[in-house]
Amino acid sequence: MNKKIFGYARISTQKESQTHDRQIKTLEDYAIDNNFKFDDIVQERISGTVKTDKRPLYLELKGKLRTGDILVVTDIDRLGRDADNVIMEFKELKLEGVKVIALDTP
């Protein structure tokens, strides 16, 4: 099986001064420390109040994920609007056989 590793970075402001740079650096550092390269890192600029099923780039990413793939995020809250939404995403991805790594969660 040819597993792929994806990163997802989301910022929730429309201010051009805020960028994905911190999250991208954290993801890239994690990849270096763990001796792998991401197949893709998706960067999305959309409010955290928008549920994951309404985030176009996240949905596109989910469409690429296959059993055995890994999704890495810097912060658990990048995955959802609130705790219930995050838990639902984790469960759905797990059912699909996708491993989720949130770098802020041991």
Side-chain angles (χ1 to χ4, degrees), residues 20-42:
H20 295 92
D21 292 352
R22 180 193 63 82
Q23 290 179 59
I24 299 302
K25 177 162 181 14
T26 300
L27 291 170
E28 289 173 345
D29 288 348
Y30 179 77
I32 290 167
D33 291 347
N34 290 278
N35 200 31
F36 73 89
K37 290 185 180 184
F38 283 99
D39 291 281
D40 192 13
I41 297 177
V42 174

Side-chain angles (χ1 to χ4, degrees), residues 68-105:
D69 287 350
I70 299 171
L71 175 61
V72 184
V73 294
T74 57
D75 305 284
I76 193 77
D77 67 355
R78 303 297 89 191
L79 278 185
R81 182 176 65 91
D82 54 33
D84 290 338
N85 191 211
V86 169
I87 291 167
M88 200 167 70
E89 279 304 303
F90 264 122
K91 285 182 179 180
E92 185 177 325
L93 291 167
K94 184 178 178 182
L95 281 173
E96 295 295 322
V98 175
K99 180 178 180 180
V100 178
I101 298 173
L103 302 181
D104 69 333
T105 305

Side-chain angles (χ1 to χ4, degrees), residues 5-67:
I5 304 173
F6 296 91
Y8 177 68
R10 180 183 60 79
I11 54 175
S12 58
T13 181
Q14 295 303 316
K15 294 178 185 174
E16 289 187 27
S17 61
Q18 187 177 359
T19 67
H20 295 92
D21 292 352
R22 180 193 63 82
Q23 290 179 59
I24 299 302
K25 177 162 181 14
T26 300
L27 291 170
E28 289 173 345
D29 288 348
Y30 179 77
I32 290 167
D33 291 347
N34 290 278
N35 200 31
F36 73 89
K37 290 185 180 184
F38 283 99
D39 291 281
D40 192 13
I41 297 177
V42 174
Q43 300 177 48
E44 190 159 44
R45 181 184 296 264
I46 193 164
S47 172
T49 62
V50 176
K51 282 191 168 188
T52 51
D53 63 354
K54 303 289 186 214
R55 297 177 184 174
L57 296 179
Y58 180 74
L59 290 174
E60 186 178 317
L61 169 61
K62 276 181 71 174
K64 295 177 184 178
L65 294 169
R66 301 288 177 252
T67 299

